[in-house]
Amino acid sequence: MVPARGTRWFVGALAVLCVALIGSSAPGGRHSGRTAPVEPARDVVPNRVMTWNLCNPCKESNVHRAAEIAALAPQVVGVQEACVRDVEAIREHLENLHGLVYRVEYGMVLHKRSRCGGVPWNPGEFGQAILSAAPMTDHVSVEYPEGGSEDRGYMAVTTEVGGRDVRVFNTHLAQRRQESVRAKQAGVLATEVTRHDRAVVLGDFNAVPDAPELSPVWALAVDADPQCRPARGTAGTCRATTDWQSKFDYVFLRGVTPAEHRVRPSRYSDHHLLCADLDPV
């Protein structure tokens, strides 16, 4: 028999051991109850922004998607055709496998089980998301009044890129062969972008550079590629961002100067990764 005093000591020691074991095995992520921010094990490129259509429901591995983003390590990432559960998984992999710590905001416009899984009474959320290594403020999520064949919208946050605050928009316009709908959506977006002297507009616009419906955006912003313009004879110099050799994805800049841009084809989406380094001045 263990004396009563010894029993109390044994139970107390066991409780301390259990707490220590549970604490050390708790998973990471925003649902882990962290009280302090995690320091990144690896630096992002502070003046780099990126846009990528994830191609849902393509059922690609989020481990691979995270690796594609990590290879470029942008300060800000805008993704489209994104499910919340996929973005959460990508964010976890970026931190746990690549040492890159991002915050996240969402611009979801659909609850759709066929896109994002879930149960019939609680289907997954589908739309856009922005990942940023710096804090984000003034988050808004707006659904376009007319979405075409599928609800579409834009989101915006204020965050830091290259050491300066900038308003970052992320959008996905209506599908191909819906030009009139895209024109209305581009007009709504342009009205909001014009309110800001410094803005970065990311997204899948589902239109080539000289498509008339993009004219409201071209009127107030430039492409990250200075050679890519909608004027006759120059749109053909824009690098394709899709597997079908069209430029549908953009990094539009307002009040911000581009320094360098690149297009990175990926086997994990029918869209390429498009990133731009911005002049911090």
Side-chain angles (χ1 to χ4, degrees):
M1 297 291 291
V2 180
R5 182 178 178 183
T7 300
R8 289 194 299 272
W9 179 91
F10 175 76
V11 171
L14 183 61
V16 171
L17 177 61
C18 290
V19 170
L21 289 173
I22 293 172
S24 65
S25 62
R30 71 175 185 177
H31 303 300
S32 64
R34 286 184 182 141
T35 57
V38 173
E39 289 297 324
R42 180 182 152 203
D43 290 336
V44 299
V45 181
N47 64 326
R48 179 169 294 169
V49 299
M50 191 189 94
T51 183
W52 193 21
N53 183 309
L54 296 181
C55 185
N56 272 320
C58 292
K59 305 185 186 303
E60 294 291 349
S61 164
N62 288 317
V63 170
H64 292 141
R65 286 168 167 164
E68 293 282 76
I69 294 171
L72 298 170
Q75 170 85 356
V76 171
V77 186
V79 291
Q80 306 87 40
E81 292 197 26
C83 297
V84 168
R85 67 186 65 194
D86 287 331
V87 175
E88 285 296 303
I90 290 168
R91 185 166 167 246
E92 289 286 333
H93 295 322
L94 284 166
E95 179 177 335
N96 297 332
L97 301 180
H98 304 281
L100 296 169
V101 177
Y102 289 96
R103 299 157 175 86
V104 64
E105 292 288 358
Y106 294 99
M108 298 300 165
V109 293
L110 280 177
H111 288 74
K112 197 164 186 179
R113 189 182 180 201
S114 62
R115 287 278 195 175
C116 298
V119 293
W121 56 90
N122 188 26
E125 292 182 280
F126 176 80
Q128 292 79 242
I130 292 176
L131 302 174
S132 175
M136 292 178 279
T137 60
D138 303 320
H139 166 237
V140 298
S141 178
V142 178
E143 184 175 334
Y144 290 122
E146 186 174 345
S149 56
E150 182 177 81
D151 294 346
R152 295 290 164 89
Y154 75 86
M155 62 179 299
V157 300
T158 298
T159 189
E160 185 178 288
V161 179
R164 297 187 63 184
D165 284 347
V166 64
R167 191 66 170 167
V168 178
F169 293 81
N170 182 19
T171 192
H172 188 190
L173 299 191
Q175 296 171 351
R176 287 179 286 180
R177 295 181 294 277
Q178 299 180 56
E179 294 85 353
S180 62
V181 176
R182 283 198 302 276
K184 295 175 184 176
Q185 294 171 345
V188 171
L189 178 64
T191 298
E192 293 305 312
V193 174
T194 196
R195 301 177 190 276
H196 303 274
D197 294 331
R198 290 174 48 82
V200 175
V201 186
L202 311 171
D204 174 5
F205 285 73
N206 268 317
V208 295
D210 53 4
E213 61 265 30
L214 295 190
S215 57
V217 182
W218 283 113
L220 55 87
V222 298
D223 192 89
D225 176 3
Q227 303 304 313
C228 180
R229 302 189 303 277
R232 184 181 301 275
T234 60
T237 66
C238 306
R239 291 191 60 184
T241 63
T242 65
D243 287 353
W244 53 93
Q245 298 303 308
S246 294
K247 177 176 171 66
F248 276 10
D249 306 272
Y250 297 83
V251 176
F252 282 115
L253 306 175
R254 175 176 169 83
V256 182
T257 304
E260 186 179 352
H261 74 284
R262 70 195 71 182
V263 176
R264 177 186 172 97
S266 172
R267 61 181 292 188
Y268 304 110
S269 174
D270 54 358
H271 287 252
H272 308 335
L273 291 77
L274 172 61
C275 78
D277 294 348
L278 311 180
D279 191 332
V281 177

